[in-house]
Amino acid sequence: MSTATATGPTRAAKPRRKRLTRVGMLFAAPFLALMVFLWGVPVVSGFWTSLTDTNIAEGTGGFVGADNYAHLLTDPDFRAALGNTALFTVLNVPILVAVGLLLAMLLNQPLGGRGAIRAAFISPYLLTGAAVAIIWQTALNPLGGNLNQVLSAVGLPEQAWLSTPGEAMGGVVLITLWWRVGFPLLVLLAALQDIPAQLYEAARIDGANVWQRFRYVTLPAIAPVLMLVVLLRLIDSFKVFEQVYLVTQGGPAGSTRVVLQMLYETGFRDFQTGYASAIGWTLAFIILVVTVVQLALTRRRESR
Amino acid sequence: MVQITRRRLLGAGTAATAGALLTACSSPFDDTTAGGGNVLEFVTFYTGPDGVVMQGIVDRYNEQATGAQIRMSAPAYGGDYLTKLVTSTIAGNPPAIMALHNNEVPPLRRFLHEIDLADMGFTEDDFVAGTQDLGVVDGRRLGVTMSTGPQAMVYNRRLFEAAGLDPDAPPQDAAAFVEAGRALREIDVWGFIREPAAWMPWLTMHWQNGGELLDGDRALFGTDAAVEAIEMERRWVHEDGIAPSQLLDGVQMGQQFEDEQVGMIFIGPWGLAGHIRSNEERGMDFGVAPVPAFFDAAPAVAASSHVYCIPKQRSNDDWVRAEAAKFIEWVVREGSLTWAGSQAPSFKGVGDAVAASDDPVVTAMDTFIDEQPRARYIPYAPRWNQAYTYLTNATQSIVYRNEDAKTLMTDAAEQATAAIRGAGR
């Protein structure tokens, strides 16, 4: 029996399509239900909580509208935490992406032991935050830690590492670099390996030097992937928590206390879940704005 | 051959999902009272050698117990400990007995049973004066204080001798402390290393100087007493040169002591067993002495506290409450002597036995026990953890970075006051 004509499906085909759609929805229903339960409900509930002054230990709380958000604008703790988070992002993202790109370019060469070198840089990415914290607390111990032993052995002055505000943030950036460089390395390496060799040959024939080949061949070819890596690292940097909470606990003198630590402490140490939810939603909004700006800049660049 | 149709596949998937969900709702391995068993969870913060000692006490209880069996656990202590207890209680699945510090009892007050010492066969006179007040909130006794942790000074007797100091005469005041520190520097070790927070030794010094932490909801970190205390610490680092300017955490501080790189540190009794073990393994000879009287306004030493509380249960509450009370009574009466190998027991009934013990840790605990009458405890205030963070930040900046004490301590007091007053947010 024919179910289609030159003008489209017959009327007999429509009930079958409806049936197939219903069956498809039934198959997807468990997953959709889980999504609503595990993601949708908490998101809506969290936003509602941010409009209250709930304290889960006291069992108190009522609707306060946008009071929490208004207070955040003038909260010196939040401003300090946001400033620390921004500082970490500004330091971490360029360094991480640049080092990742350099390592990717190095590993894109026909080097002996390439696999072992690649594994060495990628394997820290598999570690948990707790393991990373233990390793680096030992390494950065200002009295006799591994790094200071190395510095001392080569005649350089030992550093206070995590003991002073400036050095503590530097320490956190260093820890993050070691821990997270594997991701940009892998992704950029894959992008580099996709660049046709003929482009480099053509550039060499045209007399381009190393820097010119990098600027006019490599960078444009990997630009979309590079922008994606930058965007993902930006989002990750705004969400920094483990290496700060476990290594410096936000110190010394609050110099490394970031927004997520403030959120955690407000909600789960002080039990002010209403205010903590507002912090979370504000951070999400900031990340969204940064992401939109980044994407807009990328699209404008591509349209040129 | 069975034909797999879409309907059969969907049915199988639904059944599997339902089975997984139903399994997740209850575990066949749950032997606590919530799961129909007779095991009571006893959650503590005894994560070090004191955990081993308390586990031994619990094992002894279980051997002779005819009702519930006790299972002790010790999640890592820190800001998360109270969080776990609060969230498990709100979720309706609290442990049967929980160990809390005195300032952790008030946030949990609506979840705890009231306790009558008389029901356990005790009176307040059975305990070191003032220790049982630590479990009283709004006039209701919500816990029994098993022990406290006053600070004391441990010093390396061998380094003292090498520095020309009398190892049997540790410093007892500020001047002698600095003198000892300087002598130790002469033999190329640190005189003293502090813990990074304000807990040791600023709190003790502040109270010794007649200061208070709070006046209602107002933080008093900016008073002259508070500033003088932190100024003394600052001088140790930047003028007397007896303490390092690098921030070390408690573990690193203890390691420096065991590596004989520092002559004097302050510890709570929970660190004693570890140092005594080090003594035996490495041949280091250390002594225990009261914290010097850095100021003479008031005898004081900062102390932690261990208050045992009984949370309300969703099911079998009466039975759990009775069994938990039985356990606490037994631990206090029969376990305090053993517990003196880790903390300073508040039960007076073991005083003579502690003095006569041949266990070196128990004997050394005598110093900590003797400190209990002058022990001071951190009070409760809403958002105290945040307020304390401001205090810690200020003291760290002053001690490690030589910044202005009066300005920073005053700022910290203002921030802490705002945090405490803003706790209604």
Side-chain angles (χ1 to χ4, degrees):
Chain A
M1 179 171 67
S2 165
T3 56
T5 66
T7 53
T10 62
R11 282 161 68 178
K14 285 182 187 168
R16 184 164 181 272
R17 182 169 294 126
K18 253 195 205 167
R19 189 166 54 85
L20 285 173
T21 304
R22 265 204 310 270
V23 170
M25 287 303 292
L26 271 175
F27 270 101
F31 172 73
L32 288 173
L34 266 177
M35 276 287 290
V36 168
F37 181 65
L38 292 176
W39 185 82
V41 168
V43 165
V44 172
S45 167
F47 181 70
W48 172 253
T49 304
S50 75
L51 303 177
T52 69
D53 58 356
T54 303
N55 184 309
I56 56 172
E58 298 292 334
T60 57
F63 183 74
V64 295
D67 262 10
N68 287 333
Y69 293 97
H71 184 77
L72 269 178
L73 292 175
T74 57
D75 187 342
D77 278 346
F78 180 71
R79 283 205 299 266
L82 192 58
N84 289 334
T85 307
L87 174 62
F88 172 79
T89 302
V90 163
L91 293 174
N92 177 54
V93 173
I95 293 173
L96 198 60
V97 174
V99 170
L101 180 58
L102 274 170
L103 287 173
M105 290 173 64
L106 184 70
L107 290 173
N108 201 30
Q109 307 302 315
L111 292 173
R114 216 167 28 162
I117 298 172
R118 188 168 53 211
F121 283 108
I122 290 169
S123 47
Y125 198 79
L126 306 173
L127 294 175
T128 62
V132 171
I134 290 170
I135 291 168
W136 281 94
Q137 276 176 330
T138 308
L140 295 179
N141 186 336
L143 293 181
N146 306 98
L147 257 66
N148 273 347
Q149 285 181 27
V150 169
L151 289 175
S152 179
V154 298
L156 291 171
E158 295 187 357
Q159 299 301 308
W161 294 118
L162 305 172
S163 304
T164 62
E167 299 205 34
M169 183 56 86
V172 173
V173 171
L174 177 65
I175 293 166
T176 309
L177 174 66
W178 176 84
W179 188 23
R180 295 303 201 194
V181 75
F183 174 76
L185 163 61
L186 262 185
V187 174
L188 291 171
L189 181 59
L192 288 171
Q193 288 172 345
D194 259 356
I195 302 174
Q198 299 91 307
L199 293 179
Y200 289 108
E201 268 185 51
R204 271 193 209 92
I205 291 168
D206 286 345
N209 59 29
V210 170
W211 168 247
Q212 286 168 326
R213 288 201 296 274
F214 173 75
R215 194 179 156 198
Y216 296 112
V217 177
T218 307
L219 271 186
I222 66 169
V225 176
L226 193 61
M227 287 296 113
L228 177 66
V229 168
V230 168
L231 178 64
L232 292 175
R233 294 325 316 162
L234 263 178
I235 293 171
D236 250 8
S237 292
F238 271 99
K239 299 189 306 176
V240 63
F241 176 67
E242 285 166 286
Q243 57 269 47
V244 168
Y245 191 70
L246 295 175
V247 179
T248 65
Q249 294 86 48
S255 59
T256 58
R257 189 174 188 238
V258 292
V259 173
L260 270 191
Q261 182 180 352
M262 182 183 173
L263 186 159
Y264 174 77
E265 289 174 347
T266 303
F268 295 103
R269 186 192 63 183
D270 301 330
F271 307 115
Q272 293 176 282
T273 44
Y275 195 48
S277 292
I279 295 171
W281 274 95
T282 304
L283 179 65
F285 178 73
I286 291 170
I287 293 174
L288 181 64
V289 166
V290 168
T291 305
V292 166
V293 168
Q294 159 86 1
L295 286 173
L297 288 173
T298 305
R299 284 204 187 105
R300 189 189 297 178
R301 191 187 170 283
E302 283 173 359
S303 68
R304 280 200 225 126
Chain B
M1 187 176 105
V2 174
Q3 193 177 10
I4 301 178
T5 63
R6 285 192 211 102
R7 196 163 290 178
R8 279 187 182 147
L9 187 62
L10 188 61
T14 306
T17 305
L21 281 173
L22 283 168
T23 305
C25 290
S26 67
S27 165
F29 305 108
D30 186 359
D31 53 2
T32 66
T33 52
N38 73 334
V39 172
L40 300 190
E41 296 275 7
F42 172 37
V43 173
T44 75
F45 31 55
Y46 306 134
T47 54
D50 48 0
V52 176
V53 175
M54 181 51 75
Q55 184 63 63
I57 296 171
V58 169
D59 290 344
R60 271 202 296 129
Y61 175 81
N62 286 337
E63 280 166 13
Q64 57 84 50
T66 53
Q69 291 286 288
I70 306 297
R71 181 164 59 218
M72 187 185 100
S73 62
Y77 188 69
D80 300 328
Y81 181 80
L82 188 62
T83 299
K84 286 172 184 154
L85 291 177
V86 169
T87 50
S88 71
T89 306
I90 289 171
N93 194 19
I97 310 123
M98 50 174 77
L100 297 170
H101 296 119
N102 65 289
N103 61 336
E104 292 168 344
V105 177
L108 282 157
R109 61 186 179 278
R110 67 185 180 109
F111 304 114
L112 301 175
H113 278 301
E114 203 164 335
I115 291 174
D116 189 343
L117 283 179
D119 289 345
M120 295 181 177
F122 294 126
T123 68
E124 287 214 33
D125 289 338
D126 290 324
F127 299 93
V128 173
T131 55
Q132 292 313 311
D133 293 339
L134 298 171
V136 176
V137 178
D138 299 333
R140 298 167 61 223
R141 184 180 306 285
L142 300 176
V144 176
T145 304
M146 172 70 182
S147 53
T148 63
Q151 296 171 13
M153 182 173 72
V154 291
Y155 63 100
N156 189 314
R157 294 171 59 87
R158 189 190 71 76
L159 290 179
F160 261 49
E161 270 192 58
L165 301 165
D166 182 356
D168 293 321
Q172 295 183 2
D173 58 35
F177 184 79
V178 172
E179 193 185 317
R182 284 186 177 140
L184 288 159
R185 286 304 286 142
E186 291 294 316
I187 61 166
D188 212 24
V189 298
W190 290 109
F192 171 71
I193 296 179
R194 74 191 295 274
E195 274 211 8
W199 164 246
M200 270 192 255
W202 178 84
L203 267 182
T204 293
M205 297 163 71
H206 174 226
W207 276 319
Q208 286 178 346
N209 203 19
E212 293 294 340
L213 285 176
L214 294 171
D215 175 16
D217 61 0
R218 192 165 67 95
L220 301 176
F221 312 150
T223 60
D224 289 344
V227 173
E228 282 166 11
I230 199 62
E231 267 287 327
M232 184 176 286
E233 280 207 74
R234 185 196 65 77
R235 285 197 299 274
W236 292 345
V237 175
H238 298 283
E239 291 172 24
D240 303 318
I242 65 171
S245 61
Q246 294 95 340
L247 186 155
L248 300 181
D249 64 30
V251 173
Q252 293 165 338
M253 177 193 79
Q255 193 59 54
Q256 289 288 304
F257 186 73
E258 295 197 357
D259 290 344
E260 300 197 90
Q261 296 301 305
V262 58
M264 299 177 286
I265 59 173
F266 299 147
I267 65 169
W270 55 89
L272 192 59
H275 289 306
I276 286 180
R277 196 171 50 245
S278 252
N279 252 10
E280 291 162 358
E281 290 169 6
R282 302 180 190 203
M284 182 180 71
D285 182 16
F286 81 92
V288 185
V291 171
F294 295 105
F295 299 94
D296 54 18
V301 64
S304 62
S305 53
H306 318 117
V307 182
Y308 292 175
C309 302
I310 304 173
K312 297 171 186 167
Q313 305 290 322
R314 251 189 213 169
S315 59
N316 297 314
D317 186 48
D318 288 341
W319 186 80
V320 171
R321 183 182 184 181
E323 290 295 315
K326 208 193 308 180
F327 169 71
I328 292 174
E329 187 262 325
W330 188 95
V331 162
V332 169
R333 209 180 286 284
E334 304 297 333
S336 285
L337 177 58
T338 309
W339 191 229
S342 285
Q343 303 281 357
S346 60
F347 185 54
K348 286 200 290 196
V350 295
D352 293 339
V354 167
S357 174
D358 55 8
D359 182 331
V361 180
V362 173
T363 313
M365 193 62 69
D366 227 8
T367 305
F368 294 91
I369 295 173
D370 289 344
E371 292 292 274
Q372 283 192 96
R374 64 176 187 139
R376 297 287 302 272
Y377 307 92
I378 293 180
Y380 168 72
R383 293 196 77 201
W384 169 254
N385 281 324
Q386 185 56 43
Y388 191 67
T389 300
Y390 296 129
L391 174 63
T392 299
N393 291 346
T395 55
Q396 284 180 353
S397 296
I398 294 162
V399 172
Y400 298 117
R401 290 160 55 211
N402 203 18
E403 294 188 13
D404 181 67
K406 182 65 182 174
T407 306
L408 286 175
M409 293 297 276
T410 303
D411 288 347
E414 286 171 6
Q415 290 169 321
T417 301
I420 292 167
R421 289 177 178 168
R425 174 155 306 285

